[in-house]
Amino acid sequence: QVQFVESGGGLAQPGGSLRLTCKAPRMIFSTFAPLDLGWYRQAPGKERELVAQIHNDRTTNYPDSLKGRFTISRDNSRKTVWLQMNNLKPEDTAVYYCNKLRAPDVWGQGTQVTVSS
């Protein structure tokens, strides 16, 4: 059963910004709060990759290539995780998903991000 619902994608110009939202409507607070969560993306013809992670203590990690451009945050009371993406580049074009870092649940539909002029 899909646990995470992503939204907020769309078309952005290079240098633009988007804020993605991930909600967990089927989870209760006590299940969501302890989770270590991540945003992932999959570009056409490529493997799914982890682009941001946030642990239950709110510590965050990013690949070196994305540091300074992507910011992950969470609100446990709203069972929501966000991904703020700034200075977008065409290579950021992908479908973006959120999920647990360990033992991921069934993947949702994701949200398409397209960066193009």
Side-chain angles (χ1 to χ4, degrees):
Q1 195 173 32
V2 173
Q3 296 290 344
F4 300 98
V5 180
E6 303 90 352
S7 63
L11 176 64
Q13 292 191 339
S17 298
L18 284 173
R19 189 190 195 204
L20 307 183
T21 299
C22 170
K23 295 183 180 291
R26 294 187 176 91
M27 286 191 183
I28 59 175
F29 171 83
S30 59
T31 300
F32 183 89
L35 295 177
D36 297 329
L37 298 165
W39 277 97
Y40 303 75
R41 69 184 180 189
Q42 187 166 21
K46 294 190 176 181
E47 298 277 328
R48 185 178 286 133
E49 62 174 338
L50 179 64
V51 300
Q53 50 185 293
I54 187 164
H55 297 264
N56 57 21
D57 62 357
R58 299 183 187 277
T59 58
T60 59
N61 286 288
Y62 309 89
D64 287 343
S65 60
L66 297 177
K67 283 181 181 177
R69 295 200 299 121
F70 286 15
T71 303
I72 189 171
S73 58
R74 67 191 292 169
D75 183 336
N76 290 338
S77 66
R78 297 167 66 180
K79 298 178 293 176
T80 300
V81 183
W82 294 276
L83 183 67
Q84 177 68 43
M85 304 186 296
N86 297 327
N87 190 22
L88 284 164
K89 303 178 180 182
E91 53 263 40
D92 295 320
T93 295
V95 179
Y96 285 70
Y97 306 85
C98 67
N99 213 321
K100 298 185 294 184
L101 291 182
R102 284 174 291 279
D105 287 315
V106 174
W107 294 91
Q109 291 190 335
T111 186
Q112 175 70 49
V113 171
T114 302
V115 184
S116 174
S117 55

